């Protein structure tokens, strides 16, 4: 099993003056702890399940590029980009740039978008669900072409590109992760186009993850895709206890408790767990993270 880290809160102490230094420390600590991946949300306002919209939120790709400059090994991605935020060709150029500058460590994490509040707030068009999924499928198809140096004209259901030129090419074709567990459309798109799915551990219950993966297996059979080619990832809220104070309502776990929970996810079919923790700025947490990485790997 691989472990990653998602950072979803940027209202650091003494921010914004401290934000750059704090983010660099998080990225370095995550890399040194042996985590396989580092993720940020791709939002412009903080989302309601984390905090009020006025909380600090950084633009995802600039944030990942900054992390790339101070790390050596850890892979980098958004969890996940709403397909409406950037024109597909520009998005794929942006991900390619991150890949080139990081030496082949970028992921394309993408989904159909959902946060209407930030769309309205910043004047970003928010089309219907049907239109967003059409745009998502076009973007996924286009990613395979642009990452393979195919600049022939592209005519999709939602977008048309005369010449999707993408130079330089990625150092490594960025793996494609489609976020969400929608059984009819989202998991079908995973089977057709993606290298990884991403589910949410919280709220699915003990049978939820295996059920979603069985649905994915069925879609793979339908489209002739090898189910085992797809990485099964999930986001899990799990904070390791260091003895330092934690936010109200957050339970700190021991290393043994964390390993036991991750073992259950592994038994359910998950091979890459992305941790959402409440103490990303606590350097002591990364010593415990490193031990968890050692035990689960």
């Amino acid at each position: 099993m691989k472990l990653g880290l998602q950072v979803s809160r940027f209202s650091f102490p003494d921010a914004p003056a401290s934000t750059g230094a704090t983010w660099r420390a998080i990225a370095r600590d995550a890399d040194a702890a042996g985590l396989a991946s580092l993720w940020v949300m791709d939002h412009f306002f903080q989302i309601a399940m984390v905090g009020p919209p006025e909380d600090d939120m950084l633009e995802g790709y600039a944030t990942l590029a900054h992390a790339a400059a101070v790390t050596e090994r850890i892979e980098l991605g958004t969890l996940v980009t709403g397909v409406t935020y950037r024109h597909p060709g520009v998005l794929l150029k942006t991900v390619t740039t991150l890949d080139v500058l990081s030496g082949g460590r970028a992921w394309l994490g993408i989904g159909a978008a959902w946060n209407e509040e930030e769309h309205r707030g910043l004047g970003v068009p928010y089309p219907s669900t049907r239109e967003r999924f059409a745009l998502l499928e076009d973007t996924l198809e286009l990613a395979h072409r642009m990452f393979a140096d195919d600049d022939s004209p592209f005519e999709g259901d939602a977008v048309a590109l005369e010449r999707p030129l993408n130079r330089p090419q990625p150092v490594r074709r960025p793996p494609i992760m489609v976020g969400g567990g929608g059984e009819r459309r989202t998991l079908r798109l995973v089977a057709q186009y993606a290298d990884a799915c991403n589910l949410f551990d919280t709220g699915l219950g003990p049978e939820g993850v295996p059920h979603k993966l069985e649905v994915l297996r069925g879609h793979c059979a339908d489209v002739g895709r090898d189910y085992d080619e797809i990485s099964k990832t999930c986001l899990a809220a799990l904070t390791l206890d260091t003895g330092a104070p934690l936010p109200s309502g957050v339970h700190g776990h021991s290393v043994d408790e964390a390993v036991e929970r991750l073992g259950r996810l592994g038994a359910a079919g998950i091979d890459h767990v992305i941790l959402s923790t409440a103490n990303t700025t606590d350097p002591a947490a990364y010593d415990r993270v490193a031990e968890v990485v050692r035990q689960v790997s």
Side-chain angles (χ1 to χ4, degrees):
M1 176 180 284
K2 295 180 179 180
L3 293 183
L5 175 69
Q6 183 207 45
V7 179
S8 57
R9 297 172 177 86
F10 297 95
S11 294
F12 303 137
D14 300 320
S18 68
T19 298
T22 303
W23 172 242
R24 291 191 294 275
I26 290 170
R28 292 189 187 105
D29 286 343
D31 200 25
L35 288 166
S37 57
L38 178 63
W39 308 81
V40 295
M41 297 194 302
D42 193 21
H43 286 288
F44 303 110
F45 296 176
Q46 183 56 275
I47 61 174
M49 50 278 270
V50 177
E54 296 81 10
D55 278 3
D56 290 359
M57 179 55 61
L58 301 180
E59 192 280 325
Y61 289 99
T63 303
L64 291 173
H66 197 66
V70 298
T71 56
E72 299 293 335
R73 181 197 52 80
I74 200 165
E75 298 186 352
L76 306 160
T78 60
L79 193 62
V80 292
T81 284
V83 72
T84 52
Y85 296 144
R86 301 166 188 83
H87 189 280
V90 174
L91 170 63
L92 297 172
K93 181 68 175 182
T94 301
V95 173
T96 298
T97 300
L98 176 63
D99 189 77
V100 169
L101 295 180
S102 67
R105 293 187 282 141
W107 281 70
L108 169 60
I110 194 164
W114 61 270
N115 192 358
E116 187 174 359
E117 179 183 17
E118 63 189 354
H119 287 77
R120 293 198 319 268
L122 296 179
V124 178
Y126 187 69
S128 68
T129 301
R130 181 188 62 80
E131 292 171 307
R132 298 199 313 276
F133 271 93
L135 181 61
L136 176 58
E137 185 155 12
D138 279 0
T139 304
L140 290 166
E141 183 178 345
L142 185 62
H144 282 273
R145 294 175 61 167
M146 288 183 66
F147 292 159
D149 206 15
D150 179 355
D151 66 350
S152 59
F154 176 83
E155 186 76 37
D157 291 334
V159 294
L161 287 75
E162 289 188 8
R163 190 189 181 197
L165 180 66
N166 192 30
R167 296 289 183 87
Q169 279 284 283
V171 174
R172 172 192 71 167
R173 183 185 73 79
I176 299 169
M177 172 194 285
V178 173
E183 296 181 10
R184 185 168 64 88
R185 286 178 293 193
T186 303
L187 293 177
R188 177 184 64 81
L189 292 175
V190 172
Q192 285 185 275
Y193 298 104
D195 302 289
C197 65
N198 183 255
L199 305 172
F200 293 96
D201 175 37
T202 304
L204 284 177
E207 303 302 324
V209 168
H211 169 72
K212 296 291 185 184
L213 294 181
E214 280 305 306
V215 172
L216 175 60
R217 188 186 295 274
H219 284 304
C220 287
D222 290 342
V223 303
R225 178 82 184 277
D226 183 354
Y227 171 80
D228 292 330
E229 289 180 356
I230 298 171
S231 177
K232 290 79 178 178
T233 83
C234 80
L235 178 64
L238 197 159
T239 297
L240 289 163
D241 186 11
T242 67
L246 293 172
S248 176
V250 175
H251 171 68
H253 292 78
S254 69
V255 168
D256 288 345
E257 289 172 334
V259 170
E260 193 274 334
R261 180 175 169 189
L262 294 168
R264 291 199 303 271
L265 288 171
I270 297 296
D271 53 41
H272 190 158
V273 178
I274 299 165
L275 305 176
S276 176
T277 77
N279 57 355
T280 56
T281 60
D282 181 358
Y286 294 92
D287 292 336
R288 288 157 178 78
V289 167
E291 178 58 21
V292 174
V293 169
R294 187 190 69 79
Q295 291 195 34
V296 303
S297 64

